[in-house]
Amino acid sequence: EVQLVESGGGLVQAGGSLRLSCAASGFTFDDYAIGWFRQAPEKEREGVSSISRSDGSTYYADSVKGRFTISRDNAKNTVYLQMNSLEPEDTAVYYCAADLGFRGEYWYLSYEYDYWGQGTQVTVSS
């Protein structure tokens, strides 16, 4: 059974940090790019960051560049999203997703992703 399980969300004050984890199972993790997406109330889901399956290339939304860092540990089948300098605008449910294809600059196209987790809530208070 394919599973992506997010963890690490919570409530934090503006300026604080959180590290999200995405633990994968049930598929060949090394073959997949992994992306993080988020959805705030009454807003569309948006791409936050992605990391490729092969050379570890990383991609970020402009809104999080310089604040968030994505990384992966293939030995643990886990991807991390380190979030620093959090802002109230970062409040959302964060999802990780797995993509077998190579999207490059189109990493943010959510419909291309094959598997999704259930999400973890991140709330940033002002």
Side-chain angles (χ1 to χ4, degrees):
E1 178 188 7
V2 170
Q3 279 194 315
L4 290 169
V5 180
E6 303 95 337
S7 62
L11 174 63
V12 64
Q13 288 189 331
S17 298
L18 286 173
R19 188 176 82 154
L20 304 184
S21 298
C22 171
S25 61
F27 62 96
T28 306
F29 183 73
D30 296 11
D31 289 345
Y32 286 75
I34 303 295
W36 284 98
F37 294 79
R38 66 186 182 187
Q39 188 165 19
E42 301 182 343
K43 290 189 176 181
E44 293 187 357
R45 187 172 297 186
E46 64 174 350
V48 175
S49 182
S50 180
I51 187 165
S52 72
R53 60 185 179 183
S54 54
D55 61 2
S57 296
T58 57
Y59 306 89
Y60 297 94
D62 288 343
S63 59
V64 307
K65 278 181 184 176
R67 301 189 297 122
F68 291 10
T69 303
I70 192 171
S71 61
R72 68 189 294 161
D73 185 340
N74 286 347
K76 295 183 178 181
N77 285 7
T78 301
V79 168
Y80 304 98
L81 185 68
Q82 178 67 44
M83 306 187 297
N84 298 330
S85 302
L86 283 161
E87 304 168 352
E89 294 74 21
D90 296 316
T91 296
V93 177
Y94 283 70
Y95 301 88
C96 66
D99 176 17
L100 184 60
F102 175 73
R103 309 298 168 198
E105 62 184 295
Y106 299 106
W107 62 271
Y108 56 90
L109 297 177
S110 60
Y111 58 80
E112 298 285 6
Y113 285 73
D114 304 290
Y115 306 125
W116 289 82
Q118 293 301 305
T120 186
Q121 176 70 47
V122 171
T123 304
V124 184
S125 63
S126 56

